[in-house]
Amino acid sequence: SLSKMAASVMEDARQILAQFKNADGDLVGTPVDVPISIDRHNLELLCNTVLGNEENVSYDFTVSGVDINETLEGTISVLEAVDTEKCIEICYIPQAVFKVKAVTRCSSTLTGHTEAVIAVSFSPNGRQLASGSGDSTVRLWDINTETPHVTCKGHSHWILVVSWSHDGSKLASGCKKGEIYIWDPKTGKQLGKTLSGHTQWITWISWEPIHIKSEGRLLASSSKDCTIRIWDANVFLCVRVLGAHTHSVTCVKWGGEGLLYSSSHDRTIKVWRASDGVLCRTLQGHGHWVNVLALNTDYILRLGANNPQDGTFTTKDLTEVEKKSKAESNYKLLKGNNRELLVSGSDDFTLFLWNPSEKKAALERMTGHQQLVNDVKFSPDMTLVASASFDKSIKLWSGKSGKYICTFRGHVSPVYQISWSADSRLLCSGSSDSTLKVWNIRARKLLKDLPGHSDEVFTVDWSPSGEKVASGGRDRVMKLYGAK
């Protein structure tokens, strides 16, 4: 048994008092004497015993943020500030089922746009890439060949948003004129008529998750005109207008539990029931514009019926019912017992962590940034939150408690956007300093600098399958980065 094997490890050798803690810093079990020479394998046996796991779970271990690669003694030897006379806290992190290779080189430079590239987004299965530009076109790219697939023409103003339906069958784009087009990603042709109704530019588009309704026909859009509109992408009509905000609506998210969340320059976040548009609650706390929202379920919802953990990354052969069923099982499996949490980033330099379906009060006010927060993302495994700021830094926080973990510094200008790798081990950031940077989350340091752009990087996306990073910016080109 695990307990007997762990007991045999404890005999002999110089002992040290140690206690395990989880990624949130919560101590587990009681302090135990372990041999200072204990290796990773035996540490894993001991950890499984302490946690009462019936089957052996694979873990990574750190002490003071430094990985235990071989032995505990080897790690302690490189740490100056560890007092071996006191209890050593060993952090355990469950290993991801699959591992994403770090992107290290530019594999393609994709030209074609004649103005700045403002938005890039991979399809749910990672096979296609969409880009929106100031030249008023949407372009679709084939990721396997890294070549242009088709150009979607129709808009007459800057494209500010591109958003895939969760089954990958439709692409929506929103422009500065306030219009939304729905495209067929296979042909690049517009589907139906233009969705008109917003009187100012589109700030965000979010589709209804397919585990709720398999058709993927409804989408929500937010606008500078203070409203959110829900559209039916099959009949190309506005179904509902949500109009309680008093200033520009900056972001709208369609959650996995049937709720819509919107943020605004009126400093509030509003929670709506998607089925009938009823305003459930208003979340207050920010002292300035709320710029961006992120759900801990964003990555799961984005996948739809795809799942990198079991290698299923195509859904074209599935029926609507099968897609819904697969998306439902993915959602339950990946979400587990986690509540749907929301984090907001603001011009007041702070973030707030909310449990929006249950209460108005914030779980945590997250302070530390010295300038406005421009982007925020939960890690795919929901354990971490990363925030990007005009103060040139990226900060890491606990996704459960909102507690501060660390700061990544390296960019020399504002950080505009960030994107996680599918295994939550790496984070990519794009900045106005013209670089992308890849950060190693566990080691808490810069892993790779990705130069290549000649001007500001406005947008970055890591494919859901983990294989590629795409970026776009003021220099009018898109870059694709991959592993060696």
Side-chain angles (χ1 to χ4, degrees):
S1 71
L2 282 174
S3 54
K4 283 181 183 171
M5 292 170 73
S8 68
V9 171
M10 310 305 288
E11 299 169 7
D12 70 16
R14 190 155 62 92
Q15 305 281 309
I16 191 170
L17 195 62
Q19 187 170 9
F20 290 107
K21 65 178 181 179
N22 62 23
D24 283 336
D26 303 321
L27 293 169
V28 176
T30 55
V32 291
D33 283 313
V34 299
I36 195 166
S37 60
I38 191 168
D39 61 14
R40 268 192 52 164
H41 171 69
N42 286 311
L43 207 52
E44 197 171 87
L45 291 175
L46 178 61
C47 186
N48 275 283
T49 302
V50 169
L51 296 175
N53 296 335
E54 291 182 9
E55 291 186 16
N56 196 34
V57 177
S58 295
Y59 294 103
D60 290 321
F61 300 96
T62 64
V63 176
S64 300
V66 177
D67 286 355
I68 300 175
N69 292 319
E70 293 177 5
T71 65
L72 177 59
E73 188 172 22
T75 299
I76 289 173
S77 68
V78 301
L79 291 166
E80 295 172 8
V82 172
D83 184 353
T84 54
E85 299 300 313
K86 294 181 180 172
C87 182
I88 303 287
E89 292 181 358
I90 301 172
C91 180
Y92 66 91
I93 305 142
Q95 286 185 356
V97 179
F98 70 107
K99 196 167 183 175
V100 170
K101 290 180 181 174
V103 293
T104 54
R105 64 182 186 90
C106 179
S107 58
S108 287
T109 299
L110 305 176
T111 59
H113 283 299
T114 56
E115 291 293 340
V117 180
I118 296 166
V120 296
S121 180
F122 282 98
S123 62
N125 64 10
R127 303 281 171 82
Q128 276 188 292
L129 177 68
S131 58
S133 165
D135 65 11
S136 78
T137 69
V138 173
R139 286 175 182 256
L140 287 155
W141 312 81
D142 184 310
I143 290 308
N144 291 332
T145 58
E146 302 193 350
T147 54
H149 171 53
V150 72
T151 301
C152 310
K153 295 179 178 176
H155 284 285
S156 57
H157 214 319
W158 294 0
I159 310 294
L160 302 177
V161 190
V162 290
S163 177
W164 292 86
S165 63
H166 298 300
D167 64 357
S169 67
K170 301 182 188 78
L171 178 75
S173 58
C175 73
K176 207 168 178 182
K177 195 177 172 184
E179 294 179 335
I180 296 166
Y181 281 61
I182 310 291
W183 309 94
D184 180 342
K186 291 191 183 75
T187 64
K189 296 280 191 292
Q190 184 183 358
L191 295 171
K193 61 183 182 184
T194 306
L195 307 184
S196 302
H198 284 299
T199 56
Q200 294 201 55
W201 68 62
I202 308 297
T203 55
W204 212 278
I205 295 171
S206 191
W207 290 81
E208 182 179 32
I210 59 170
H211 75 266
I212 297 174
K213 289 254 180 67
S214 61
E215 305 102 316
R217 64 188 289 174
L218 296 181
L219 64 153
S221 59
S222 59
S223 168
K224 203 166 181 285
D225 68 7
C226 312
T227 69
I228 298 126
R229 285 176 176 260
I230 298 175
W231 310 86
D232 187 320
N234 281 13
V235 294
F236 308 100
L237 292 172
C238 179
V239 177
R240 195 167 285 114
V241 181
L242 311 179
H245 283 294
T246 56
H247 286 85
S248 172
V249 187
T250 53
C251 183
V252 62
K253 292 279 183 174
W254 202 313
E257 308 292 316
L259 295 171
L260 284 165
Y261 310 95
S262 59
S263 60
S264 168
H265 281 180
D266 66 14
R267 305 185 307 214
T268 70
I269 296 141
K270 295 192 183 292
V271 184
W272 315 79
R273 200 162 58 208
S275 58
D276 56 10
V278 167
L279 178 61
C280 302
R281 54 180 61 85
T282 298
L283 311 178
Q284 293 176 304
H286 281 297
H288 209 310
W289 297 347
V290 188
N291 296 322
V292 64
L293 300 174
L295 288 168
N296 60 350
T297 51
D298 275 340
Y299 176 75
I300 305 169
L301 298 176
R302 178 185 188 178
L303 286 175
N306 299 288
N307 188 346
Q309 295 189 4
D310 61 17
T312 52
F313 255 97
T314 178
T315 56
K316 62 186 176 189
D317 299 323
L318 301 180
T319 64
E320 295 291 333
V321 175
E322 286 169 334
K323 280 182 193 173
K324 184 174 188 292
S325 171
K326 186 81 168 54
E328 270 176 352
S329 62
N330 274 355
Y331 184 73
K332 285 175 186 164
L333 174 72
L334 297 171
K335 180 171 176 282
N337 297 320
N338 291 291
R339 299 167 299 173
E340 185 163 77
L341 299 183
L342 181 77
V343 68
S344 54
S346 166
D347 262 35
D348 67 8
F349 308 173
T350 72
L351 302 104
F352 277 80
L353 182 67
W354 313 87
N355 179 11
S357 63
E358 292 174 24
K359 51 186 174 186
K360 283 185 179 181
L363 299 176
E364 185 70 25
R365 181 170 181 257
M366 300 147 73
T367 61
H369 279 299
Q370 304 299 307
Q371 289 193 49
L372 70 86
V373 178
N374 198 58
D375 197 16
V376 59
K377 297 272 183 9
F378 270 94
S379 60
D381 66 6
M382 302 193 264
T383 62
L384 298 166
V385 168
S387 57
S389 168
F390 273 41
D391 67 10
K392 310 172 193 173
S393 79
I394 296 138
K395 290 188 185 292
L396 205 60
W397 319 78
S398 164
K400 302 278 198 301
S401 66
K403 295 284 186 278
Y404 169 77
I405 296 172
C406 70
T407 301
F408 293 125
R409 300 188 193 281
H411 285 295
V412 295
S413 293
V415 187
Y416 288 149
Q417 263 194 4
I418 46 179
S419 190
W420 286 89
S421 66
D423 61 2
S424 305
R425 295 170 191 260
L426 305 167
L427 182 76
C428 187
S429 56
S431 162
S432 82
D433 67 11
S434 84
T435 70
L436 285 93
K437 296 186 191 296
V438 180
W439 308 89
N440 183 319
I441 296 303
R442 273 221 325 278
R444 297 181 188 172
K445 65 181 184 184
L446 178 67
L447 182 67
K448 192 73 182 172
D449 227 323
L450 299 175
H453 284 285
S454 59
D455 209 329
E456 296 183 292
V457 180
F458 291 144
T459 178
V460 57
D461 192 26
W462 205 314
S463 76
S465 55
E467 290 157 10
K468 298 277 181 187
V469 166
S471 62
R474 192 185 288 276
D475 63 6
R476 308 176 184 182
V477 300
M478 285 164 54
K479 299 274 183 184
L480 277 177
Y481 298 87
K484 279 181 181 170

